[in-house]
Amino acid sequence: MDRFSWQSARSPTEAATLGNTTVAEAMLADPALSAAADCVVLKAGGIDLLDLMKEGLLRPGRVVNLRGIPGLDSIAEDAGGLRIGALATLEQVATHPTLRQRYTALADAAESSASPQIRHVATLGGNLLQRPRCWYFRSAAHRCARKGGEYCFAFTGENRYHAVFGHDDCAIVHPSTSATALVAFGAHVELTNAQGSLRTVPLSDFMVGPAVDIMRETDLRSGEVLTAVVLPSMPASTRSAFLKQAEKPSFDWSIADVAVVLDRAADGRCQHASIVLGAAAPVPWRVPHAEAALVGQTIDATVAHAAGQAAIAGAAPLRHNAYKLPILATLVRRAVLQAAA
Ligand SMILES: Cc1cc2nc3c(=O)[nH]c(=O)nc-3n(C[C@H](O)[C@H](O)[C@H](O)COP(=O)(O)OP(=O)(O)OC[C@H]3O[C@@H](n4cnc5c(N)ncnc54)[C@H](O)[C@@H]3O)c2cc1C
Ligand code: SF4
């Protein structure tokens, strides 16, 4: 790892003033040029940031530590919903009593992410902003399209962990497990700039697919700090479930994951359904046909199976990843039944 200087920010506006680039922009800077050394990037838990630096993919001149900013790790009631500070750890999200009770799919998604040690350090904000796991992207020897090159190595190469939906020119899957559940709940992100102005964006819009911009995964702008994730108020009758399949369940990113959020009327019929697939596309992938298969129905094994099949309709698997489709369909079926139980 190259030498870098270190500074601790005391407030979001100070951090936004100090940070002069996003990591996505900094990774495009030629390390041979002095411009790369002028990059000042933000660090939360540092799990992904330091990985990129150790792998020689990112060479900032300065790292600004956010961990000392007071209050940015709190989880509090907000207009009937919940406001999660960006520095709340995955462990806090997994164990918070209100999240566990009212936003169960999110608590389960956080709990299923990484290992206990990592969850105690990794923050929710950093989790949403981590860069993709595509092995060509993570290899300094491959300058692929997402790093400013001309070519996606995954389409003709090894693509068993890649996308089955939405892979225009780049077949990454979004690496954040919590994002699957957050999008299913209709969460927003709150961003603060150096002037202290707030920008609030639905997480589903904040996540950017390759058709919009192949070189970044989110709409984070330089000079912005992610300060909070806001969950909307949900009806008391809302139930949710999250399920994940990974190579190593003890600590690993998903091969496939699913979040289901249901609301049923007094007669038991589903009146609202939100179903999102994770590790399936470059962004958390909502499946409206599967949701439509539930609305108006009394949920049973047949209805849940139909939702699972609808969820994979229109998928475009690559050479090595068609195996993901039956996994996704099964996870949807089981998660629907679990949420409805
Ligand atoms: C073995 C292993 C297994 C893992 N398994 C999973 C898994 O199953 N699911 C999963 O989702 N993740 C998994 N991860 C990834 C891990 O959860 C993320 O790397 C971690 O959550 C990143 O959070 P952080 O606080 O450490 O972010 P950092 O590494 O500090 O930052 C990540 C990025 O976000 C930016 N950033 C951070 N906070 C802010 C902010 N508030 N405002 C603006 N920019 C910010 C940084 O500049 C950087 O670009 C795994 C990691 C490992 C090592
Ligand atoms: S899938 Fe995306 S990140 Fe991976 S090699 Fe292709 S362009 Fe690069």
Side-chain angles (χ1 to χ4, degrees):
M1 201 192 301
D2 292 351
R3 292 173 71 85
F4 59 90
S5 64
W6 173 272
Q7 192 164 358
S8 283
R10 284 155 301 182
S11 68
T13 48
E14 187 186 20
T17 307
L18 292 169
N20 67 5
T21 177
T22 65
V23 163
E25 290 165 349
M27 285 180 67
L28 295 173
D30 184 340
L33 299 178
S34 60
D38 290 340
C39 289
V40 183
V41 297
L42 306 181
K43 180 204 80 74
I47 304 283
D48 194 44
L49 190 83
L50 294 182
D51 257 6
L52 294 169
M53 291 168 66
K54 284 187 278 188
E55 287 158 1
L57 297 168
L58 174 68
R59 297 188 157 90
R62 195 189 309 173
V63 170
V64 174
N65 184 25
L66 305 176
R67 289 303 288 274
I69 300 177
L72 218 55
D73 62 351
S74 65
I75 302 178
E77 295 281 343
D78 181 88
L82 222 53
R83 188 175 187 280
I84 308 174
L87 293 183
T89 62
L90 296 181
E91 182 65 15
Q92 279 176 268
V93 174
T95 55
H96 191 275
T98 312
L99 281 167
R100 255 265 132 260
Q101 190 192 348
R102 287 180 10 212
Y103 303 91
T104 312
L106 175 60
D108 284 349
E111 188 173 26
S112 77
S113 301
S115 64
Q117 292 92 335
I118 292 170
R119 289 197 294 277
H120 275 89
V121 176
T123 66
L124 184 61
N127 186 266
L128 296 175
L129 296 167
Q130 63 177 305
R131 301 231 61 198
R133 301 307 308 171
C134 169
W135 31 43
Y136 300 111
F137 179 80
R138 293 274 162 175
S139 151
H142 292 81
R143 189 162 176 268
C144 71
R146 190 163 285 273
K147 290 188 289 190
E150 293 185 354
Y151 190 68
C152 171
F153 298 94
F155 280 109
T156 51
E158 180 47 70
N159 49 41
R160 86 182 87 137
Y161 297 132
H162 287 73
V164 291
F165 291 100
H167 40 53
D168 307 284
D169 302 326
C170 165
I172 60 153
V173 294
H174 199 281
S176 169
T177 309
S178 293
T180 310
L182 286 168
V183 169
F185 282 114
H188 286 60
V189 289
E190 178 195 281
L191 303 130
T192 303
N193 69 14
Q195 289 71 46
S197 304
L198 293 185
R199 183 166 75 94
T200 304
V201 193
L203 180 60
S204 54
D205 294 343
F206 184 65
M207 298 283 174
V208 171
V212 177
D213 189 339
I214 199 171
M215 286 182 262
R216 60 192 175 127
E217 298 77 57
T218 67
D219 184 30
L220 181 74
R221 301 171 190 171
S222 57
E224 276 186 335
V225 175
L226 176 57
T227 35
V229 177
V230 182
L231 285 160
S233 168
M234 308 298 287
S237 47
T238 301
R239 297 289 178 272
S240 65
F242 172 87
L243 292 174
K244 163 176 170 175
Q245 183 73 41
E247 294 261 11
K248 292 187 291 287
S250 54
F251 72 96
D252 216 345
W253 283 267
S254 307
I255 286 173
D257 59 57
V258 168
V260 172
V261 179
L262 299 179
D263 183 26
R264 280 172 299 165
D267 67 359
R269 288 180 193 275
C270 175
Q271 51 189 5
H272 169 82
S274 170
I275 304 181
V276 178
L277 310 182
V283 293
W285 195 254
R286 196 156 175 180
V287 277
H289 293 311
E291 295 167 357
L294 301 182
V295 174
Q297 304 291 329
T298 302
I299 291 169
D300 59 14
T302 309
V303 170
H305 176 80
Q309 293 306 306
I312 56 172
L318 305 174
R319 191 165 161 212
H320 302 294
N321 68 4
Y323 76 95
K324 282 192 174 194
L325 301 187
I327 297 176
L328 285 164
T330 303
L331 291 178
V332 169
R333 177 174 60 78
R334 290 182 182 168
V336 166
L337 290 172
Q338 188 171 312

